Amino acid sequence: MSSSTALATFLASEQARDWRRLPVFAPGAQAERACAAADAERVAGHVVAPAPERVFAALALTPLDGVRLVILGQDPYPTPGHANGLAFSYVGPPPLPRSLVNIYRERSDDLGLAPPTDGDLTAWARQGVLLLNTALTVREGASKAGSHLLLGWGAVTDAIISAVSRDRPHVVFMLWGSPAQAKRALIDESRHLVIASAHPSPLSARRGFFGSRPFSKANAWLTAKGEKSIDW
């Protein structure tokens, strides 16, 4: 399956009922062009993550009308076998990706919860947590992080974030890292809460991610707005 075929399959599904009305998903529009660029990478011999059928997993698990919180990262894990279409999520044998280990560490410090033994964040997504990256694909391999940031995904994720800001009443946006924080202007902060910090990567977590207490802050704000808190 190609990314373009995966896009068509996703848009034809019931899970895409809210997302497919965005102009960015129209035939020939930005999502289709970004998928074609990812397919061209594969044709050129590069291994692209995640697998095509997982590129739109975040949108499939969290419909627009159910988004209550957005965790925005940079791009999928470039380590072979790590990316699964949900930002920061991982399904596989130990060890967990180091960014996820740091997320769990902050979760433990913030909420007093023991770190999970697995990295699957599907349960968060099913509660309305949109686990979105600013780019939905990446080349696999060492030093390949950010390799698809200029592949056309920016327009796609801009449209997704703008739609959430426009259409949802009260959403928490967690912007982790500089590429995520560059999207801040798309968010109506008179209605939504933005929690911005350094990326949880080992290269930057000590520069503001640790100690940011995003999980308790998000739940406190959601409950103050009459929304259900997230079971982290």
Side-chain angles (χ1 to χ4, degrees), residues 19 22 70 72 130 132-134 154 156-167 173 175 180 183-184 186-187 192:
W19 298 116
L22 302 183
V70 177
L72 190 60
L130 180 61
L132 187 68
N133 282 308
T134 59
V156 179
T157 52
D158 281 0
I160 292 167
I161 295 163
S162 295
V164 172
S165 178
R166 180 185 65 246
D167 296 350
F173 290 83
L175 309 182
K183 308 290 190 180
R184 188 165 190 163
L186 302 172
I187 301 165
H192 307 298

mmCIF file with all atom_site columns, all heavy atoms in Angstrom, residues 19 22 70 72 130 132-134 154 156-167 173 175 180 183-184 186-187 192:
data_model
loop_
_atom_site.group_PDB
_atom_site.id
_atom_site.type_symbol
_atom_site.label_atom_id
_atom_site.label_alt_id
_atom_site.label_comp_id
_atom_site.label_asym_id
_atom_site.label_entity_id
_atom_site.label_seq_id
_atom_site.pdbx_PDB_ins_code
_atom_site.Cartn_x
_atom_site.Cartn_y
_atom_site.Cartn_z
_atom_site.occupancy
_atom_site.B_iso_or_equiv
_atom_site.pdbx_formal_charge
_atom_site.auth_seq_id
_atom_site.auth_comp_id
_atom_site.auth_asym_id
_atom_site.auth_atom_id
_atom_site.pdbx_PDB_model_num
ATOM 1   N N   . TRP A 1 19  ? -13.033 14.903 9.396  1.00 0.00 ? 19  TRP A N   1
ATOM 2   C CA  . TRP A 1 19  ? -11.791 15.409 8.813  1.00 0.00 ? 19  TRP A CA  1
ATOM 3   C C   . TRP A 1 19  ? -11.879 15.612 7.309  1.00 0.00 ? 19  TRP A C   1
ATOM 4   O O   . TRP A 1 19  ? -11.312 16.554 6.773  1.00 0.00 ? 19  TRP A O   1
ATOM 5   C CB  . TRP A 1 19  ? -10.640 14.445 9.136  1.00 0.00 ? 19  TRP A CB  1
ATOM 6   C CG  . TRP A 1 19  ? -10.345 14.271 10.576 1.00 0.00 ? 19  TRP A CG  1
ATOM 7   C CD1 . TRP A 1 19  ? -10.471 13.125 11.315 1.00 0.00 ? 19  TRP A CD1 1
ATOM 8   C CD2 . TRP A 1 19  ? -9.857  15.265 11.498 1.00 0.00 ? 19  TRP A CD2 1
ATOM 9   N NE1 . TRP A 1 19  ? -10.100 13.342 12.623 1.00 0.00 ? 19  TRP A NE1 1
ATOM 10  C CE2 . TRP A 1 19  ? -9.712  14.647 12.767 1.00 0.00 ? 19  TRP A CE2 1
ATOM 11  C CE3 . TRP A 1 19  ? -9.527  16.611 11.360 1.00 0.00 ? 19  TRP A CE3 1
ATOM 12  C CZ2 . TRP A 1 19  ? -9.253  15.332 13.891 1.00 0.00 ? 19  TRP A CZ2 1
ATOM 13  C CZ3 . TRP A 1 19  ? -9.071  17.303 12.477 1.00 0.00 ? 19  TRP A CZ3 1
ATOM 14  C CH2 . TRP A 1 19  ? -8.946  16.665 13.719 1.00 0.00 ? 19  TRP A CH2 1
ATOM 15  N N   . LEU A 1 22  ? -12.458 19.011 5.394  1.00 0.00 ? 22  LEU A N   1
ATOM 16  C CA  . LEU A 1 22  ? -11.470 20.086 5.334  1.00 0.00 ? 22  LEU A CA  1
ATOM 17  C C   . LEU A 1 22  ? -10.918 20.185 3.911  1.00 0.00 ? 22  LEU A C   1
ATOM 18  O O   . LEU A 1 22  ? -10.588 19.168 3.287  1.00 0.00 ? 22  LEU A O   1
ATOM 19  C CB  . LEU A 1 22  ? -10.330 19.826 6.317  1.00 0.00 ? 22  LEU A CB  1
ATOM 20  C CG  . LEU A 1 22  ? -10.702 19.656 7.796  1.00 0.00 ? 22  LEU A CG  1
ATOM 21  C CD1 . LEU A 1 22  ? -9.435  19.491 8.637  1.00 0.00 ? 22  LEU A CD1 1
ATOM 22  C CD2 . LEU A 1 22  ? -11.529 20.827 8.290  1.00 0.00 ? 22  LEU A CD2 1
ATOM 23  N N   . VAL A 1 70  ? -4.788  18.275 22.352 1.00 0.00 ? 70  VAL A N   1
ATOM 24  C CA  . VAL A 1 70  ? -3.858  17.985 21.261 1.00 0.00 ? 70  VAL A CA  1
ATOM 25  C C   . VAL A 1 70  ? -2.449  17.945 21.830 1.00 0.00 ? 70  VAL A C   1
ATOM 26  O O   . VAL A 1 70  ? -2.019  18.886 22.512 1.00 0.00 ? 70  VAL A O   1
ATOM 27  C CB  . VAL A 1 70  ? -3.926  19.056 20.152 1.00 0.00 ? 70  VAL A CB  1
ATOM 28  C CG1 . VAL A 1 70  ? -2.889  18.762 19.060 1.00 0.00 ? 70  VAL A CG1 1
ATOM 29  C CG2 . VAL A 1 70  ? -5.323  19.134 19.558 1.00 0.00 ? 70  VAL A CG2 1
ATOM 30  N N   . LEU A 1 72  ? 1.140   17.948 20.371 1.00 0.00 ? 72  LEU A N   1
ATOM 31  C CA  . LEU A 1 72  ? 1.777   18.205 19.072 1.00 0.00 ? 72  LEU A CA  1
ATOM 32  C C   . LEU A 1 72  ? 3.278   18.009 19.196 1.00 0.00 ? 72  LEU A C   1
ATOM 33  O O   . LEU A 1 72  ? 3.954   18.703 19.967 1.00 0.00 ? 72  LEU A O   1
ATOM 34  C CB  . LEU A 1 72  ? 1.457   19.626 18.618 1.00 0.00 ? 72  LEU A CB  1
ATOM 35  C CG  . LEU A 1 72  ? 1.825   19.997 17.193 1.00 0.00 ? 72  LEU A CG  1
ATOM 36  C CD1 . LEU A 1 72  ? 1.099   19.107 16.191 1.00 0.00 ? 72  LEU A CD1 1
ATOM 37  C CD2 . LEU A 1 72  ? 1.486   21.462 16.923 1.00 0.00 ? 72  LEU A CD2 1
ATOM 38  N N   . LEU A 1 130 ? -5.644  14.098 20.607 1.00 0.00 ? 130 LEU A N   1
ATOM 39  C CA  . LEU A 1 130 ? -5.135  14.002 19.237 1.00 0.00 ? 130 LEU A CA  1
ATOM 40  C C   . LEU A 1 130 ? -3.613  14.012 19.292 1.00 0.00 ? 130 LEU A C   1
ATOM 41  O O   . LEU A 1 130 ? -2.993  15.029 19.608 1.00 0.00 ? 130 LEU A O   1
ATOM 42  C CB  . LEU A 1 130 ? -5.654  15.161 18.398 1.00 0.00 ? 130 LEU A CB  1
ATOM 43  C CG  . LEU A 1 130 ? -5.210  15.190 16.932 1.00 0.00 ? 130 LEU A CG  1
ATOM 44  C CD1 . LEU A 1 130 ? -5.681  13.944 16.185 1.00 0.00 ? 130 LEU A CD1 1
ATOM 45  C CD2 . LEU A 1 130 ? -5.717  16.460 16.242 1.00 0.00 ? 130 LEU A CD2 1
ATOM 46  N N   . LEU A 1 132 ? -0.715  14.253 17.444 1.00 0.00 ? 132 LEU A N   1
ATOM 47  C CA  . LEU A 1 132 ? -0.387  14.741 16.109 1.00 0.00 ? 132 LEU A CA  1
ATOM 48  C C   . LEU A 1 132 ? 1.056   15.197 16.028 1.00 0.00 ? 132 LEU A C   1
ATOM 49  O O   . LEU A 1 132 ? 1.561   15.858 16.939 1.00 0.00 ? 132 LEU A O   1
ATOM 50  C CB  . LEU A 1 132 ? -1.311  15.912 15.769 1.00 0.00 ? 132 LEU A CB  1
ATOM 51  C CG  . LEU A 1 132 ? -1.256  16.478 14.353 1.00 0.00 ? 132 LEU A CG  1
ATOM 52  C CD1 . LEU A 1 132 ? -1.809  15.477 13.339 1.00 0.00 ? 132 LEU A CD1 1
ATOM 53  C CD2 . LEU A 1 132 ? -2.036  17.795 14.288 1.00 0.00 ? 132 LEU A CD2 1
ATOM 54  N N   . ASN A 1 133 ? 1.718   14.868 14.943 1.00 0.00 ? 133 ASN A N   1
ATOM 55  C CA  . ASN A 1 133 ? 3.027   15.431 14.634 1.00 0.00 ? 133 ASN A CA  1
ATOM 56  C C   . ASN A 1 133 ? 2.877   16.525 13.583 1.00 0.00 ? 133 ASN A C   1
ATOM 57  O O   . ASN A 1 133 ? 1.919   16.521 12.807 1.00 0.00 ? 133 ASN A O   1
ATOM 58  C CB  . ASN A 1 133 ? 3.979   14.346 14.111 1.00 0.00 ? 133 ASN A CB  1
ATOM 59  C CG  . ASN A 1 133 ? 4.536   13.475 15.215 1.00 0.00 ? 133 ASN A CG  1
ATOM 60  O OD1 . ASN A 1 133 ? 5.077   13.963 16.201 1.00 0.00 ? 133 ASN A OD1 1
ATOM 61  N ND2 . ASN A 1 133 ? 4.407   12.161 15.055 1.00 0.00 ? 133 ASN A ND2 1
ATOM 62  N N   . THR A 1 134 ? 3.845   17.465 13.549 1.00 0.00 ? 134 THR A N   1
ATOM 63  C CA  . THR A 1 134 ? 3.778   18.517 12.534 1.00 0.00 ? 134 THR A CA  1
ATOM 64  C C   . THR A 1 134 ? 4.039   17.965 11.141 1.00 0.00 ? 134 THR A C   1
ATOM 65  O O   . THR A 1 134 ? 3.595   18.547 10.157 1.00 0.00 ? 134 THR A O   1
ATOM 66  C CB  . THR A 1 134 ? 4.777   19.648 12.844 1.00 0.00 ? 134 THR A CB  1
ATOM 67  O OG1 . THR A 1 134 ? 6.111   19.115 12.885 1.00 0.00 ? 134 THR A OG1 1
ATOM 68  C CG2 . THR A 1 134 ? 4.454   20.300 14.178 1.00 0.00 ? 134 THR A CG2 1
ATOM 69  N N   . GLY A 1 154 ? 3.278   20.427 6.432  1.00 0.00 ? 154 GLY A N   1
ATOM 70  C CA  . GLY A 1 154 ? 2.979   21.613 7.233  1.00 0.00 ? 154 GLY A CA  1
ATOM 71  C C   . GLY A 1 154 ? 1.603   22.184 6.944  1.00 0.00 ? 154 GLY A C   1
ATOM 72  O O   . GLY A 1 154 ? 0.858   22.554 7.863  1.00 0.00 ? 154 GLY A O   1
ATOM 73  N N   . VAL A 1 156 ? -0.927  20.580 5.832  1.00 0.00 ? 156 VAL A N   1
ATOM 74  C CA  . VAL A 1 156 ? -1.937  19.620 6.296  1.00 0.00 ? 156 VAL A CA  1
ATOM 75  C C   . VAL A 1 156 ? -2.172  19.781 7.787  1.00 0.00 ? 156 VAL A C   1
ATOM 76  O O   . VAL A 1 156 ? -3.312  19.910 8.250  1.00 0.00 ? 156 VAL A O   1
ATOM 77  C CB  . VAL A 1 156 ? -1.508  18.174 5.975  1.00 0.00 ? 156 VAL A CB  1
ATOM 78  C CG1 . VAL A 1 156 ? -2.544  17.181 6.465  1.00 0.00 ? 156 VAL A CG1 1
ATOM 79  C CG2 . VAL A 1 156 ? -1.276  18.016 4.468  1.00 0.00 ? 156 VAL A CG2 1
ATOM 80  N N   . THR A 1 157 ? -1.094  19.779 8.559  1.00 0.00 ? 157 THR A N   1
ATOM 81  C CA  . THR A 1 157 ? -1.261  19.886 10.004 1.00 0.00 ? 157 THR A CA  1
ATOM 82  C C   . THR A 1 157 ? -1.717  21.281 10.424 1.00 0.00 ? 157 THR A C   1
ATOM 83  O O   . THR A 1 157 ? -2.434  21.421 11.418 1.00 0.00 ? 157 THR A O   1
ATOM 84  C CB  . THR A 1 157 ? 0.029   19.469 10.735 1.00 0.00 ? 157 THR A CB  1
ATOM 85  O OG1 . THR A 1 157 ? 1.150   20.195 10.210 1.00 0.00 ? 157 THR A OG1 1
ATOM 86  C CG2 . THR A 1 157 ? 0.279   17.980 10.544 1.00 0.00 ? 157 THR A CG2 1
ATOM 87  N N   . ASP A 1 158 ? -1.339  22.312 9.660  1.00 0.00 ? 158 ASP A N   1
ATOM 88  C CA  . ASP A 1 158 ? -1.889  23.649 9.928  1.00 0.00 ? 158 ASP A CA  1
ATOM 89  C C   . ASP A 1 158 ? -3.415  23.632 9.818  1.00 0.00 ? 158 ASP A C   1
ATOM 90  O O   . ASP A 1 158 ? -4.116  24.204 10.657 1.00 0.00 ? 158 ASP A O   1
ATOM 91  C CB  . ASP A 1 158 ? -1.339  24.670 8.926  1.00 0.00 ? 158 ASP A CB  1
ATOM 92  C CG  . ASP A 1 158 ? 0.068   25.139 9.257  1.00 0.00 ? 158 ASP A CG  1
ATOM 93  O OD1 . ASP A 1 158 ? 0.636   24.669 10.266 1.00 0.00 ? 158 ASP A OD1 1
ATOM 94  O OD2 . ASP A 1 158 ? 0.608   25.976 8.502  1.00 0.00 ? 158 ASP A OD2 1
ATOM 95  N N   . ALA A 1 159 ? -3.915  22.983 8.775  1.00 0.00 ? 159 ALA A N   1
ATOM 96  C CA  . ALA A 1 159 ? -5.367  22.924 8.564  1.00 0.00 ? 159 ALA A CA  1
ATOM 97  C C   . ALA A 1 159 ? -6.056  22.138 9.671  1.00 0.00 ? 159 ALA A C   1
ATOM 98  O O   . ALA A 1 159 ? -7.152  22.501 10.127 1.00 0.00 ? 159 ALA A O   1
ATOM 99  C CB  . ALA A 1 159 ? -5.668  22.294 7.201  1.00 0.00 ? 159 ALA A CB  1
ATOM 100 N N   . ILE A 1 160 ? -5.424  21.066 10.130 1.00 0.00 ? 160 ILE A N   1
ATOM 101 C CA  . ILE A 1 160 ? -5.998  20.255 11.208 1.00 0.00 ? 160 ILE A CA  1
ATOM 102 C C   . ILE A 1 160 ? -6.062  21.061 12.495 1.00 0.00 ? 160 ILE A C   1
ATOM 103 O O   . ILE A 1 160 ? -7.096  21.105 13.184 1.00 0.00 ? 160 ILE A O   1
ATOM 104 C CB  . ILE A 1 160 ? -5.165  18.971 11.403 1.00 0.00 ? 160 ILE A CB  1
ATOM 105 C CG1 . ILE A 1 160 ? -5.326  18.052 10.188 1.00 0.00 ? 160 ILE A CG1 1
ATOM 106 C CG2 . ILE A 1 160 ? -5.562  18.250 12.686 1.00 0.00 ? 160 ILE A CG2 1
ATOM 107 C CD1 . ILE A 1 160 ? -4.327  16.917 10.139 1.00 0.00 ? 160 ILE A CD1 1
ATOM 108 N N   . ILE A 1 161 ? -4.957  21.716 12.849 1.00 0.00 ? 161 ILE A N   1
ATOM 109 C CA  . ILE A 1 161 ? -4.922  22.508 14.078 1.00 0.00 ? 161 ILE A CA  1
ATOM 110 C C   . ILE A 1 161 ? -5.911  23.660 14.007 1.00 0.00 ? 161 ILE A C   1
ATOM 111 O O   . ILE A 1 161 ? -6.632  23.940 14.983 1.00 0.00 ? 161 ILE A O   1
ATOM 112 C CB  . ILE A 1 161 ? -3.489  23.021 14.317 1.00 0.00 ? 161 ILE A CB  1
ATOM 113 C CG1 . ILE A 1 161 ? -2.553  21.853 14.583 1.00 0.00 ? 161 ILE A CG1 1
ATOM 114 C CG2 . ILE A 1 161 ? -3.452  24.016 15.484 1.00 0.00 ? 161 ILE A CG2 1
ATOM 115 C CD1 . ILE A 1 161 ? -1.092  22.192 14.441 1.00 0.00 ? 161 ILE A CD1 1
ATOM 116 N N   . SER A 1 162 ? -5.992  24.325 12.865 1.00 0.00 ? 162 SER A N   1
ATOM 117 C CA  . SER A 1 162 ? -6.925  25.433 12.696 1.00 0.00 ? 162 SER A CA  1
ATOM 118 C C   . SER A 1 162 ? -8.363  24.964 12.843 1.00 0.00 ? 162 SER A C   1
ATOM 119 O O   . SER A 1 162 ? -9.202  25.651 13.446 1.00 0.00 ? 162 SER A O   1
ATOM 120 C CB  . SER A 1 162 ? -6.723  26.093 11.327 1.00 0.00 ? 162 SER A CB  1
ATOM 121 O OG  . SER A 1 162 ? -5.445  26.688 11.237 1.00 0.00 ? 162 SER A OG  1
ATOM 122 N N   . ALA A 1 163 ? -8.668  23.795 12.314 1.00 0.00 ? 163 ALA A N   1
ATOM 123 C CA  . ALA A 1 163 ? -10.025 23.261 12.420 1.00 0.00 ? 163 ALA A CA  1
ATOM 124 C C   . ALA A 1 163 ? -10.382 22.945 13.866 1.00 0.00 ? 163 ALA A C   1
ATOM 125 O O   . ALA A 1 163 ? -11.498 23.224 14.318 1.00 0.00 ? 163 ALA A O   1
ATOM 126 C CB  . ALA A 1 163 ? -10.173 22.018 11.552 1.00 0.00 ? 163 ALA A CB  1
ATOM 127 N N   . VAL A 1 164 ? -9.442  22.368 14.598 1.00 0.00 ? 164 VAL A N   1
ATOM 128 C CA  . VAL A 1 164 ? -9.698  22.075 16.006 1.00 0.00 ? 164 VAL A CA  1
ATOM 129 C C   . VAL A 1 164 ? -9.929  23.379 16.770 1.00 0.00 ? 164 VAL A C   1
ATOM 130 O O   . VAL A 1 164 ? -10.868 23.494 17.569 1.00 0.00 ? 164 VAL A O   1
ATOM 131 C CB  . VAL A 1 164 ? -8.527  21.287 16.621 1.00 0.00 ? 164 VAL A CB  1
ATOM 132 C CG1 . VAL A 1 164 ? -8.698  21.155 18.136 1.00 0.00 ? 164 VAL A CG1 1
ATOM 133 C CG2 . VAL A 1 164 ? -8.421  19.904 15.987 1.00 0.00 ? 164 VAL A CG2 1
ATOM 134 N N   . SER A 1 165 ? -9.084  24.369 16.528 1.00 0.00 ? 165 SER A N   1
ATOM 135 C CA  . SER A 1 165 ? -9.230  25.656 17.213 1.00 0.00 ? 165 SER A CA  1
ATOM 136 C C   . SER A 1 165 ? -10.560 26.320 16.885 1.00 0.00 ? 165 SER A C   1
ATOM 137 O O   . SER A 1 165 ? -11.217 26.893 17.764 1.00 0.00 ? 165 SER A O   1
ATOM 138 C CB  . SER A 1 165 ? -8.074  26.584 16.822 1.00 0.00 ? 165 SER A CB  1
ATOM 139 O OG  . SER A 1 165 ? -8.211  27.849 17.429 1.00 0.00 ? 165 SER A OG  1
ATOM 140 N N   . ARG A 1 166 ? -10.973 26.219 15.643 1.00 0.00 ? 166 ARG A N   1
ATOM 141 C CA  . ARG A 1 166 ? -12.213 26.879 15.193 1.00 0.00 ? 166 ARG A CA  1
ATOM 142 C C   . ARG A 1 166 ? -13.469 26.138 15.640 1.00 0.00 ? 166 ARG A C   1
ATOM 143 O O   . ARG A 1 166 ? -14.458 26.761 16.048 1.00 0.00 ? 166 ARG A O   1
ATOM 144 C CB  . ARG A 1 166 ? -12.192 26.977 13.667 1.00 0.00 ? 166 ARG A CB  1
ATOM 145 C CG  . ARG A 1 166 ? -13.416 27.650 13.057 1.00 0.00 ? 166 ARG A CG  1
ATOM 146 C CD  . ARG A 1 166 ? -13.368 27.587 11.542 1.00 0.00 ? 166 ARG A CD  1
ATOM 147 N NE  . ARG A 1 166 ? -13.463 26.222 11.031 1.00 0.00 ? 166 ARG A NE  1
ATOM 148 C CZ  . ARG A 1 166 ? -12.473 25.597 10.386 1.00 0.00 ? 166 ARG A CZ  1
ATOM 149 N NH1 . ARG A 1 166 ? -11.320 26.199 10.145 1.00 0.00 ? 166 ARG A NH1 1
ATOM 150 N NH2 . ARG A 1 166 ? -12.649 24.345 9.951  1.00 0.00 ? 166 ARG A NH2 1
ATOM 151 N N   . ASP A 1 167 ? -13.452 24.818 15.578 1.00 0.00 ? 167 ASP A N   1
ATOM 152 C CA  . ASP A 1 167 ? -14.680 24.039 15.724 1.00 0.00 ? 167 ASP A CA  1
ATOM 153 C C   . ASP A 1 167 ? -14.922 23.464 17.115 1.00 0.00 ? 167 ASP A C   1
ATOM 154 O O   . ASP A 1 167 ? -16.056 23.075 17.425 1.00 0.00 ? 167 ASP A O   1
ATOM 155 C CB  . ASP A 1 167 ? -14.691 22.884 14.711 1.00 0.00 ? 167 ASP A CB  1
ATOM 156 C CG  . ASP A 1 167 ? -14.724 23.373 13.271 1.00 0.00 ? 167 ASP A CG  1
ATOM 157 O OD1 . ASP A 1 167 ? -14.923 24.580 13.058 1.00 0.00 ? 167 ASP A OD1 1
ATOM 158 O OD2 . ASP A 1 167 ? -14.534 22.541 12.367 1.00 0.00 ? 167 ASP A OD2 1
ATOM 159 N N   . PHE A 1 173 ? -3.900  22.527 24.116 1.00 0.00 ? 173 PHE A N   1
ATOM 160 C CA  . PHE A 1 173 ? -2.866  22.255 23.123 1.00 0.00 ? 173 PHE A CA  1
ATOM 161 C C   . PHE A 1 173 ? -1.519  22.175 23.830 1.00 0.00 ? 173 PHE A C   1
ATOM 162 O O   . PHE A 1 173 ? -1.048  23.155 24.400 1.00 0.00 ? 173 PHE A O   1
ATOM 163 C CB  . PHE A 1 173 ? -2.815  23.360 22.066 1.00 0.00 ? 173 PHE A CB  1
ATOM 164 C CG  . PHE A 1 173 ? -3.984  23.392 21.129 1.00 0.00 ? 173 PHE A CG  1
ATOM 165 C CD1 . PHE A 1 173 ? -5.161  24.019 21.491 1.00 0.00 ? 173 PHE A CD1 1
ATOM 166 C CD2 . PHE A 1 173 ? -3.898  22.799 19.873 1.00 0.00 ? 173 PHE A CD2 1
ATOM 167 C CE1 . PHE A 1 173 ? -6.246  24.056 20.623 1.00 0.00 ? 173 PHE A CE1 1
ATOM 168 C CE2 . PHE A 1 173 ? -4.976  22.833 18.997 1.00 0.00 ? 173 PHE A CE2 1
ATOM 169 C CZ  . PHE A 1 173 ? -6.149  23.461 19.364 1.00 0.00 ? 173 PHE A CZ  1
ATOM 170 N N   . LEU A 1 175 ? 2.211   21.931 23.137 1.00 0.00 ? 175 LEU A N   1
ATOM 171 C CA  . LEU A 1 175 ? 3.142   22.165 22.035 1.00 0.00 ? 175 LEU A CA  1
ATOM 172 C C   . LEU A 1 175 ? 4.547   21.848 22.526 1.00 0.00 ? 175 LEU A C   1
ATOM 173 O O   . LEU A 1 175 ? 5.142   22.616 23.292 1.00 0.00 ? 175 LEU A O   1
ATOM 174 C CB  . LEU A 1 175 ? 3.047   23.615 21.556 1.00 0.00 ? 175 LEU A CB  1
ATOM 175 C CG  . LEU A 1 175 ? 1.640   24.134 21.238 1.00 0.00 ? 175 LEU A CG  1
ATOM 176 C CD1 . LEU A 1 175 ? 1.709   25.566 20.726 1.00 0.00 ? 175 LEU A CD1 1
ATOM 177 C CD2 . LEU A 1 175 ? 0.934   23.235 20.226 1.00 0.00 ? 175 LEU A CD2 1
ATOM 178 N N   . ALA A 1 180 ? 6.520   22.463 16.909 1.00 0.00 ? 180 ALA A N   1
ATOM 179 C CA  . ALA A 1 180 ? 5.150   22.481 17.441 1.00 0.00 ? 180 ALA A CA  1
ATOM 180 C C   . ALA A 1 180 ? 4.770   23.895 17.876 1.00 0.00 ? 180 ALA A C   1
ATOM 181 O O   . ALA A 1 180 ? 3.658   24.374 17.591 1.00 0.00 ? 180 ALA A O   1
ATOM 182 C CB  . ALA A 1 180 ? 5.027   21.513 18.601 1.00 0.00 ? 180 ALA A CB  1
ATOM 183 N N   . LYS A 1 183 ? 3.304   26.567 15.569 1.00 0.00 ? 183 LYS A N   1
ATOM 184 C CA  . LYS A 1 183 ? 1.885   26.504 15.209 1.00 0.00 ? 183 LYS A CA  1
ATOM 185 C C   . LYS A 1 183 ? 1.002   27.319 16.165 1.00 0.00 ? 183 LYS A C   1
ATOM 186 O O   . LYS A 1 183 ? -0.209  27.380 15.980 1.00 0.00 ? 183 LYS A O   1
ATOM 187 C CB  . LYS A 1 183 ? 1.402   25.045 15.226 1.00 0.00 ? 183 LYS A CB  1
ATOM 188 C CG  . LYS A 1 183 ? 2.230   24.076 14.409 1.00 0.00 ? 183 LYS A CG  1
ATOM 189 C CD  . LYS A 1 183 ? 2.084   24.291 12.932 1.00 0.00 ? 183 LYS A CD  1
ATOM 190 C CE  . LYS A 1 183 ? 2.741   23.138 12.150 1.00 0.00 ? 183 LYS A CE  1
ATOM 191 N NZ  . LYS A 1 183 ? 2.621   23.313 10.692 1.00 0.00 ? 183 LYS A NZ  1
ATOM 192 N N   . ARG A 1 184 ? 1.581   27.952 17.139 1.00 0.00 ? 184 ARG A N   1
ATOM 193 C CA  . ARG A 1 184 ? 0.793   28.610 18.186 1.00 0.00 ? 184 ARG A CA  1
ATOM 194 C C   . ARG A 1 184 ? -0.133  29.681 17.636 1.00 0.00 ? 184 ARG A C   1
ATOM 195 O O   . ARG A 1 184 ? -1.257  29.864 18.129 1.00 0.00 ? 184 ARG A O   1
ATOM 196 C CB  . ARG A 1 184 ? 1.734   29.213 19.222 1.00 0.00 ? 184 ARG A CB  1
ATOM 197 C CG  . ARG A 1 184 ? 1.016   29.761 20.452 1.00 0.00 ? 184 ARG A CG  1
ATOM 198 C CD  . ARG A 1 184 ? 1.963   30.008 21.605 1.00 0.00 ? 184 ARG A CD  1
ATOM 199 N NE  . ARG A 1 184 ? 1.244   30.313 22.832 1.00 0.00 ? 184 ARG A NE  1
ATOM 200 C CZ  . ARG A 1 184 ? 1.767   30.249 24.051 1.00 0.00 ? 184 ARG A CZ  1
ATOM 201 N NH1 . ARG A 1 184 ? 3.040   29.892 24.202 1.00 0.00 ? 184 ARG A NH1 1
ATOM 202 N NH2 . ARG A 1 184 ? 1.026   30.550 25.114 1.00 0.00 ? 184 ARG A NH2 1
ATOM 203 N N   . LEU A 1 186 ? -1.937  29.651 15.200 1.00 0.00 ? 186 LEU A N   1
ATOM 204 C CA  . LEU A 1 186 ? -3.153  29.063 14.635 1.00 0.00 ? 186 LEU A CA  1
ATOM 205 C C   . LEU A 1 186 ? -4.230  28.828 15.688 1.00 0.00 ? 186 LEU A C   1
ATOM 206 O O   . LEU A 1 186 ? -5.368  28.501 15.345 1.00 0.00 ? 186 LEU A O   1
ATOM 207 C CB  . LEU A 1 186 ? -2.826  27.727 13.957 1.00 0.00 ? 186 LEU A CB  1
ATOM 208 C CG  . LEU A 1 186 ? -1.793  27.757 12.836 1.00 0.00 ? 186 LEU A CG  1
ATOM 209 C CD1 . LEU A 1 186 ? -1.443  26.337 12.410 1.00 0.00 ? 186 LEU A CD1 1
ATOM 210 C CD2 . LEU A 1 186 ? -2.308  28.561 11.652 1.00 0.00 ? 186 LEU A CD2 1
ATOM 211 N N   . ILE A 1 187 ? -3.876  29.000 16.950 1.00 0.00 ? 187 ILE A N   1
ATOM 212 C CA  . ILE A 1 187 ? -4.767  28.624 18.056 1.00 0.00 ? 187 ILE A CA  1
ATOM 213 C C   . ILE A 1 187 ? -5.398  29.872 18.666 1.00 0.00 ? 187 ILE A C   1
ATOM 214 O O   . ILE A 1 187 ? -4.703  30.849 18.970 1.00 0.00 ? 187 ILE A O   1
ATOM 215 C CB  . ILE A 1 187 ? -3.972  27.853 19.126 1.00 0.00 ? 187 ILE A CB  1
ATOM 216 C CG1 . ILE A 1 187 ? -3.350  26.585 18.513 1.00 0.00 ? 187 ILE A CG1 1
ATOM 217 C CG2 . ILE A 1 187 ? -4.871  27.492 20.304 1.00 0.00 ? 187 ILE A CG2 1
ATOM 218 C CD1 . ILE A 1 187 ? -2.271  25.956 19.376 1.00 0.00 ? 187 ILE A CD1 1
ATOM 219 N N   . HIS A 1 192 ? -8.972  28.470 24.123 1.00 0.00 ? 192 HIS A N   1
ATOM 220 C CA  . HIS A 1 192 ? -8.211  27.253 24.350 1.00 0.00 ? 192 HIS A CA  1
ATOM 221 C C   . HIS A 1 192 ? -6.980  27.532 25.218 1.00 0.00 ? 192 HIS A C   1
ATOM 222 O O   . HIS A 1 192 ? -6.498  28.663 25.278 1.00 0.00 ? 192 HIS A O   1
ATOM 223 C CB  . HIS A 1 192 ? -7.777  26.649 23.020 1.00 0.00 ? 192 HIS A CB  1
ATOM 224 C CG  . HIS A 1 192 ? -8.891  26.444 22.042 1.00 0.00 ? 192 HIS A CG  1
ATOM 225 N ND1 . HIS A 1 192 ? -9.958  25.607 22.288 1.00 0.00 ? 192 HIS A ND1 1
ATOM 226 C CD2 . HIS A 1 192 ? -9.119  26.986 20.807 1.00 0.00 ? 192 HIS A CD2 1
ATOM 227 C CE1 . HIS A 1 192 ? -10.790 25.633 21.258 1.00 0.00 ? 192 HIS A CE1 1
ATOM 228 N NE2 . HIS A 1 192 ? -10.305 26.461 20.344 1.00 0.00 ? 192 HIS A NE2 1
#
